Amino acid sequence: MISPATPRTPAGVDPKALAAVRDLVARAERPVVLTGAGMSAESGVPTFRDAQTGLWERYSPEQLATEEAFLADPALVWSWYLWRARMVRGVEPNAGHRAVAAWQERVPGLTVATQNVDDLHERAGAEVLAHLHGSLFAFRCAACDAPAEVDVTALGDDDAPGSEADLEALLREEPPVCAACGTGRIRPDIVWFGELLPAAEWDATYAALDACDLCVVVGTSGLVQPAASLPFVALGAGAPVVEVNPDVTELSSAVTHRLAGPAGLVLPAVVG
Ligand code: BV8
């Protein structure tokens, strides 16, 4: 007879590893959940590994997510970010986001730090300590750094946010001129490749990992530095590190337990 407390083991996940991780979760008082693009994949937000779709397929994120690209073609980069922001507004948090929020509700000492620039953790009810790479919904002046308000839902035609027609409408958008200095262009408050991560977010995440009693890393390929090195802070502090990812990654050989499945299935089974 399976007790109701025993969750079904998601396909591909080692039952023994799942049981060990459930035990660690039950005992953790200061867990840290580190998330990457795979956390939002089941919500319909493409990861960086996914091939770009539609009009974007001829560009790579590494090309567009740079200051050089923005200076070379402000309208192209600006419309890519507006389109992504509107696309995120058109999707919902998944069961993985909801499981993290439920866990934090149960264990207030739980910290969430994410590489993701979407707001799906927050929309699932979780409090996020750090967006290590910024947010699709924050903007600032490229010249004077003054923060700027941009209502992404007001832009584009009334086509479905994130659709091709929506994108076509946005492609004609030029980034606005800064109202504070009158010269700079408004850019996303996002960390582009070649740019430093925000020191406060980095320091807070580092400190949380140095003091944690469990680290769960979800949906990251572990390729982009310096965020990819963060799980090693937890390992160095003697905490177990659990990876939730259907694929083997740069981190897989170093973690304590690997749960080889999608966040939306594995996290509810882990958090229970
Ligand atoms: C820095 C915001 C230094 C943008 C992002 C040359 C010049 C300068 C720097 C470098 C250089 N060469 C290398 C570097 C360092 C560079 C870097 O690491 N490059 C990589 C490509 C090698 N890093 C930087 O540039 C960083 N800054 O180094 O500054 C410096 C020093 C001095 C002076 C000045 C500067 C800045 C890096 C931040 C870049 N910005 N995001 C935007 O979003 O538009 S990074 C971006 O890519 C994401 O935020 C994320 O961090 C990363 C993608 O990684 P993942 O999140 O892991 O996503 P990915 O698609 O890779 O993987 C998804 C995973 O999910 C997969 O494993 C998949 O299996 C899994 N998955 C899929 N489905 C699911 C799932 N998992 C669970 N459930 C599922 N359902």
Side-chain angles (χ1 to χ4, degrees):
M1 161 45 181
I2 295 178
S3 74
T6 314
R8 265 171 21 83
T9 303
V13 172
D14 172 3
K16 287 200 188 71
L18 179 62
V21 172
R22 277 174 59 80
D23 181 51
L24 289 171
V25 165
R27 288 185 286 121
E29 294 172 2
R30 299 177 313 284
V32 174
V33 178
L34 285 178
T35 64
M39 181 78 227
S40 301
E42 288 151 279
S43 295
V45 181
T47 71
F48 274 68
R49 294 313 107 202
D50 292 335
Q52 294 254 75
T53 55
L55 282 166
W56 299 116
E57 58 192 355
R58 57 181 175 278
Y59 301 101
S60 87
E62 276 84 10
Q63 264 181 320
L64 288 177
T66 62
E67 187 185 32
E68 292 75 16
F70 183 70
L71 295 175
D73 191 341
L76 175 70
V77 174
W78 178 247
S79 54
W80 184 51
Y81 279 97
L82 290 183
W83 179 75
R84 286 171 64 195
R86 286 169 58 79
M87 186 248 295
V88 168
R89 276 286 171 274
V91 301
E92 295 300 323
N94 62 56
H97 293 109
R98 291 193 295 275
V100 170
W103 186 9
Q104 190 178 54
E105 179 79 25
R106 206 167 67 205
V107 180
L110 184 145
T111 297
V112 178
T114 185
Q115 298 173 75
N116 296 340
V117 294
D118 65 50
D119 61 350
L120 296 176
H121 276 304
E122 290 89 341
R123 284 167 55 194
E127 198 181 309
V128 174
L129 171 74
H131 277 271
L132 293 160
H133 295 153
S135 165
L136 283 170
F137 305 100
F139 299 88
R140 61 180 164 87
C141 174
C144 74
D145 249 5
E149 287 297 318
V150 175
D151 176 2
V152 296
T153 52
L155 294 157
D157 301 336
D158 51 8
D159 300 292
S163 66
E164 295 291 324
D166 187 37
L167 174 61
E168 291 287 354
L170 289 173
L171 273 170
R172 292 187 291 276
E173 292 280 338
E174 284 283 339
V177 174
C178 172
C181 70
T183 51
R185 289 282 179 171
I186 301 303
R187 58 164 281 181
D189 195 8
I190 275 199
V191 181
W192 281 332
F193 287 97
E195 295 184 330
L196 286 173
L197 276 60
E201 276 72 8
W202 175 264
D203 293 346
T205 303
Y206 193 103
L209 286 163
D210 204 28
C212 78
D213 51 9
L214 173 63
C215 172
V216 179
V217 187
V218 186
T220 180
S221 58
L223 288 172
V224 175
Q225 295 296 353
S229 60
L230 284 171
F232 295 93
V233 175
L235 283 171
V241 173
V242 175
E243 178 180 50
V244 176
N245 192 320
D247 299 342
V248 172
T249 72
E250 297 289 309
L251 299 170
S252 298
S253 57
V255 299
T256 316
H257 296 290
R258 203 177 113 64
L259 301 179
L265 284 181
V266 170
L267 290 172
V270 160
V271 173

